[in-house]
Amino acid sequence: MSAWAEAADLMGAVLLLLGCLQCLLGVIGMLRFPDVLSRSHAATKPQTLGMLLVLVGVALRLRQGIDLGTLALIVFFQFLTSPVASHLVARSAYRTGQTGSRGLLRDDLDPQLSDGERQGE
């Protein structure tokens, strides 16, 4: 095995470890944070970064064309679906009144929802 392949394997292992630690921190945040919006943030940001680190680490270990294409598709769909799903969960929690909006500094969604309710009447 060449020195470049060994270096790529080592870097892949380091990225796998960092990605797993990042995902673990996201899970701990989901368990420890008090409200829906904080948990939604902890579910999306660290998990997406952790998944990216894991997939880059796997790509450095595999180094085959078909594997890299599959991993690129996984990264694309992960970045496409995870933030959207988190946004929908947070928005539905807001609409049902489970967000504890008294701690919000600014509420941009309230006037939009109020106008929508008045138009529907």
Side-chain angles (χ1 to χ4, degrees):
M1 191 181 297
S2 71
W4 289 108
E6 288 181 20
D9 285 344
L10 179 65
M11 183 57 78
V14 168
L15 287 176
L16 281 168
L17 180 64
L18 289 175
C20 290
L21 288 174
Q22 186 73 24
C23 289
L24 178 66
L25 289 175
V27 169
I28 291 171
M30 285 176 29
L31 294 174
R32 302 272 319 215
F33 286 149
D35 61 343
V36 175
L37 297 179
S38 298
R39 288 180 180 173
S40 174
H41 180 78
T44 304
K45 302 285 183 182
Q47 297 296 342
T48 304
L49 178 62
M51 180 65 73
L52 177 66
L53 290 173
V54 166
L55 292 174
V56 169
V58 169
L60 286 173
R61 300 277 302 193
L62 293 178
R63 296 186 292 270
Q64 299 295 323
I66 191 73
D67 297 330
L68 296 178
T70 303
L71 292 172
L73 284 174
I74 292 170
V75 167
F76 173 73
F77 287 118
Q78 179 72 23
F79 279 12
L80 184 71
T81 58
S82 180
V84 172
S86 177
H87 174 77
L88 291 176
V89 167
R91 191 169 177 113
S92 66
Y94 179 84
R95 287 179 178 256
T96 58
Q98 298 177 4
T99 57
S101 55
R102 67 186 176 284
L104 295 177
L105 297 176
R106 185 172 142 179
D107 190 0
D108 290 334
L109 198 53
D110 186 39
Q112 293 175 358
L113 290 177
S114 299
D115 290 343
E117 290 172 1
R118 281 189 224 130
Q119 290 174 358
E121 292 178 353

